[in-house]
Amino acid sequence: MLDVAFVLATCAVIAGTAAVVVQWQRTEREVVTVAAVNLRLDGVIDENKRMAEAAADVADAVETTTAAVQLGTGIVQASHQAIASIPFEILNAIPATRDTSRIVRSIHDETAGGIYRAIFGANRALGNAFRDSVTPKQTPENPPKQLSGPDEDTTR
């Protein structure tokens, strides 16, 4: 009877050992699979970082370009106003041309102001659109930054 109990116990130990070995092999395969997934995820993370850096570079370039266009347009506008005022001041000093000169100057200034406001607005809108296209979606707590531009009063 002792022999049967010994054989059964030995069989139980062998079966338990086999079950442990099988589970260990499955675990090793799962560890290899997890390691491979981690490597892929590391690659995805690295690529996301590179893309975020590239997007930030593009956003910076858009910001710089938009600011340069705003500055250049402001300089052109100020120069235009200064140069255009010379003949209007001369015509305004002559009594015979004063009334007509004031009308023409008003039309000129309104037209030029409208054009400069359109340029400032289009530049601001393009800059915002380009920046929004390369920056991640914003949350309500972190709204996208909008470019400021000259007030309408400064473009007349």
Side-chain angles (χ1 to χ4, degrees), residues 40-124:
R40 282 193 295 274
L41 289 176
D42 287 344
V44 169
I45 289 169
D46 290 344
E47 183 61 21
N48 285 343
K49 285 180 185 176
R50 281 190 293 274
M51 289 183 72
E53 289 168 0
D57 290 345
V58 170
D60 289 345
V62 166
E63 191 78 27
T64 300
T65 302
T66 303
V69 171
Q70 294 286 89
L71 177 64
T73 302
I75 291 170
V76 169
Q77 179 185 19
S79 300
H80 179 182
Q81 288 172 336
I83 293 168
S85 70
I86 295 169
F88 286 124
E89 293 298 324
I90 292 170
L91 292 171
N92 194 37
I94 303 169
T97 59
R98 184 173 296 137
D99 292 337
T100 304
S101 172
R102 287 181 181 164
I103 294 168
V104 171
R105 184 175 195 168
S106 175
I107 293 168
H108 169 270
D109 290 349
E110 283 299 315
T111 302
I115 290 169
Y116 287 112
R117 282 190 301 278
I119 293 169
F120 282 121
N123 182 53
R124 193 170 40 248

Side-chain angles (χ1 to χ4, degrees), residues 24-35:
W24 180 32
Q25 289 174 339
R26 285 183 186 157
T27 303
E28 280 184 332
R29 281 193 302 270
E30 289 174 4
V31 166
V32 169
T33 301
V34 168

